[in-house]
């Protein structure tokens, strides 16, 4: 079973597994991507002490490190050319897209954008068996640096699509999204209808994970990645076409510089989207099985990075054979990085919150702390994008650094 496999037991216990993985306990089941922007150097390790302590009973994300403030707006997109693959009777395929963008400091309402709705948080925590330990109101009110109604910064910026893991919402990648926006990227974080345990859609609708009950086989998982690749192309059509849906698209997005990254099956989707859409210049798979997303002919020489756990799953020759297969097919600049002490969720916001609430397993010596995992994710994904979309040299990507000894470089780099 790969990190993206969503059997019903996995779908119902992913957060419990995350808790066990953060603690280093064994588990029987593995859990289910020409601007006027300021140049950004590689992020190295940022000590946790740089952020103020989180008040008791509260959760917050580490502050982003870039020079821009961060704004966010939500888009509801409907692809009337496709029926939803999970609930065909619902009609057209729908997506919710969180647009994170570089903003002017001090603009907006001054009120942080909500991390999630209380109902989204309640459904996620209940489904993962943490409803009695982690109040939904606490998760929903997580402190971020994203502001409502912030005025966009001047300039045109590269665009990065983000796709979340199977069964979870895109808000679990907020820490990465706001970091990238602060460094001069427009970020489109996509929620795919019926593929999370709870995502709010217009009209008071809460769409739940119908796909979690239907996906069973490797063929099903390959279909998920292919469907998300279609979603990504549709989002690009609506953001970079002649009549873009988002009001700031023309002013902010540099259509010649686009990348995609994702966590778990979202990472596989980044590869599938690149294979299908030449507009996407670079991609990152964060700890996700590929499900044959990389074709035998490669990705037309475009750069791709694999970032995952340093264990028997995602080291070369590991249990997830799709990583070895994908590595052999990647035909451009590529990196295979694994992180010692990381678990499947270390690349998301989740362990940060577990640590802050003092839940069992947070921050034990055998694993990364949640904050450290998020810092490393931000650093290496940001460096990859800075190199390939902004042409800024990145020594961080040339080999192991003393400041980041957890990050291992696998196979010869090219």
């Amino acid at each position: 079973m790969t990190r993206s496999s969503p059997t019903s037991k996995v779908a119902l216990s992913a957060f419990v597994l995350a808790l066990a993985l953060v603690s280093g306990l064994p588990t029987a089941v593995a859990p289910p991507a020409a601007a006027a922007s300021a140049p950004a150097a590689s992020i190295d390790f940022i000590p946790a002490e740089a952020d103020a302590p989180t008040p008791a009973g509260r959760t917050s994300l580490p502050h982003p490190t870039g020079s821009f403030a961060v704004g966010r707006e939500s888009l509801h997109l409907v692809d009337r050319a496709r029926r939803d693959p999970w609930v065909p009777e619902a009609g057209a395929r729908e997506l919710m897209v969180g647009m994170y963008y570089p903003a002017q400091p001090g603009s907006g309402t001054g009120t942080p954008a909500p991390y999630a709705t209380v109902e989204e948080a309640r459904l996620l925590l209940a489904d993962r068996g943490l409803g009695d330990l982690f109040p939904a109101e606490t998760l929903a009110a997580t402190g971020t640096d994203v502001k409502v109604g912030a005025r966009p910064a001047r300039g045109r910026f590269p665009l990065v699509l983000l796709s979340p893991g199977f069964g979870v919402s895109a808000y679990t990648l907020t820490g990465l999204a706001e970091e990238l926006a602060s460094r001069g990227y427009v970020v489109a974080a996509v929620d795919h209808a019926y593929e999370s345990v709870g995502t709010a859609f217009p009209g008071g609708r809460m769409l739940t994970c119908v796909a979690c009950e239907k996906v069973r086989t490797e063929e099903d998982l390959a279909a998920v990645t292919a469907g998300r690749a279609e979603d990504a192309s549709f989002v690009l059509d609506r953001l970079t076409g002649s009549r873009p849906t988002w009001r700031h698209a023309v002013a902010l997005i540099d259509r010649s510089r686009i990348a995609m990254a994702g966590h778990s099956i979202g990472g596989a989707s980044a590869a599938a989207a690149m294979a299908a859409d030449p507009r996407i210049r670079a991609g990152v798979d964060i700890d996700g099985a590929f499900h044959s997303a990389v074709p035998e002919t490669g990705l037309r020489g475009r750069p791709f990075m694999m970032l995952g756990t340093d264990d028997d799953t995602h080291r070369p020759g590991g249990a997830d054979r799709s990583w070895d297969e994908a590595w052999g097919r990647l035909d451009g600049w590529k990196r295979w990085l694994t992180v010692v002490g990381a678990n499947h969720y270390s690349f998301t916001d989740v362990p940060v919150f577990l640590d802050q609430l003092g839940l069992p397993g947070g921050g034990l010596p055998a694993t990364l702390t949640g904050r450290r995992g998020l810092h490393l994710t931000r650093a290496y994904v940001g460096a990859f994008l800075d190199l390939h979309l902004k042409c800024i040299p990145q020594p961080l990507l040339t080999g192991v650094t003393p400041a980041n000894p957890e990050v291992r470089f696998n196979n010869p780099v090219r």
Side-chain angles (χ1 to χ4, degrees):
M1 184 176 298
T2 69
R3 290 290 168 90
S4 303
S5 300
T7 63
S8 58
K9 289 184 179 179
V10 173
L12 291 172
S13 61
F15 262 34
V16 174
L17 286 168
L19 190 61
L21 285 165
V22 169
S23 69
L25 297 175
T27 58
V29 184
S37 56
S42 297
I43 303 176
D44 216 325
F45 172 51
I46 304 166
E49 294 76 32
D51 288 316
T54 302
R58 295 282 303 278
T59 53
S60 66
L61 289 169
H63 299 306
T65 67
S67 59
F68 294 100
V70 180
R72 191 185 78 194
E73 295 183 351
S74 293
L75 294 180
H76 174 227
L77 302 182
V78 181
D79 185 355
R80 302 193 185 281
R82 290 188 295 152
R83 297 187 73 81
D84 187 89
W86 312 116
V87 186
E89 62 272 21
R93 178 66 162 168
E94 295 184 75
L95 306 169
M96 292 300 299
V97 183
M99 299 300 304
Y100 298 78
Y101 57 91
Q104 299 179 29
S107 65
T109 64
T111 302
Y115 184 75
T117 69
V118 173
E119 183 62 9
E120 285 174 324
R122 186 193 68 77
L123 287 170
L124 183 63
L125 294 169
D127 192 70
R128 274 45 174 176
L130 289 178
D132 293 335
L133 299 174
F134 195 154
E137 292 79 8
T138 298
L139 179 59
T142 292
T144 72
D145 286 82
V146 182
K147 296 297 189 295
V148 174
R151 292 193 302 275
R154 295 181 179 179
R156 299 179 71 220
F157 305 94
L159 172 65
V160 180
L161 304 183
L162 289 183
S163 182
F166 194 87
V168 297
S169 295
Y171 65 73
T172 60
L173 299 177
T174 298
L176 177 59
E178 66 177 11
E179 170 68 20
L180 295 178
S182 81
R183 297 178 64 174
Y185 294 89
V186 174
V187 179
V190 183
D191 269 310
H192 310 267
Y194 301 108
E195 294 181 20
S196 76
V197 295
T199 298
F201 276 72
R205 294 174 297 151
M206 185 65 64
L207 303 190
T208 57
C209 196
V210 176
C212 291
E213 300 303 319
K214 292 188 175 183
V215 173
R216 290 289 180 271
T217 67
E218 178 62 27
E219 290 72 22
D220 293 336
L221 291 165
V224 174
T225 62
R228 289 197 179 191
E230 291 185 86
D231 291 344
S233 290
F234 176 67
V235 171
L236 290 183
D237 291 343
R238 300 305 297 271
L239 292 179
T240 66
S242 59
R243 299 180 64 184
T245 301
W246 187 42
R247 59 176 179 158
H248 300 308
V250 173
L252 287 184
I253 294 175
D254 182 346
R255 294 180 294 177
S256 69
R257 296 187 292 169
I258 298 171
M260 183 171 175
H263 176 246
S264 197
I265 207 165
S269 302
M274 285 185 69
D277 196 325
R279 292 175 294 183
I280 305 174
R281 286 179 43 179
V284 183
D285 180 350
I286 305 173
D287 212 50
F290 280 93
H291 308 302
S292 302
V294 181
E296 292 183 6
T297 53
L299 296 176
R300 304 183 190 92
R302 287 168 291 172
F304 200 90
M305 185 168 75
M306 297 152 51
L307 175 66
T309 53
D310 187 69
D311 55 17
D312 291 337
T313 298
H314 283 148
R315 291 192 199 115
D320 183 355
R321 301 298 298 175
S322 74
W323 276 44
D324 290 278
E325 179 183 80
W327 179 259
R329 293 178 174 183
L330 293 173
D331 56 344
W333 185 103
K334 58 185 179 179
R335 292 291 183 273
W336 182 338
L337 307 182
T338 53
V339 182
V340 176
N343 65 62
H344 188 55
Y345 286 93
S346 293
F347 309 96
T348 73
D349 303 342
V350 173
V352 176
F353 306 148
L354 297 177
D355 288 353
Q356 290 174 349
L357 292 181
L359 293 176
L364 288 183
T367 63
L368 294 176
T369 65
R371 188 176 295 261
R372 178 65 169 159
L374 182 57
H375 284 322
L376 292 173
T377 304
R378 287 172 161 184
Y380 284 86
V381 174
F384 173 84
L385 296 171
D386 282 351
L387 176 62
H388 296 292
L389 296 187
K390 296 184 178 182
C391 297
I392 302 172
Q394 298 295 318
L396 191 64
L397 296 176
T398 61
V400 176
T401 64
N404 300 325
E406 306 98 328
V407 181
R408 294 181 173 175
F409 284 65
N410 300 283
N411 288 321
V413 298
R414 54 180 276 193

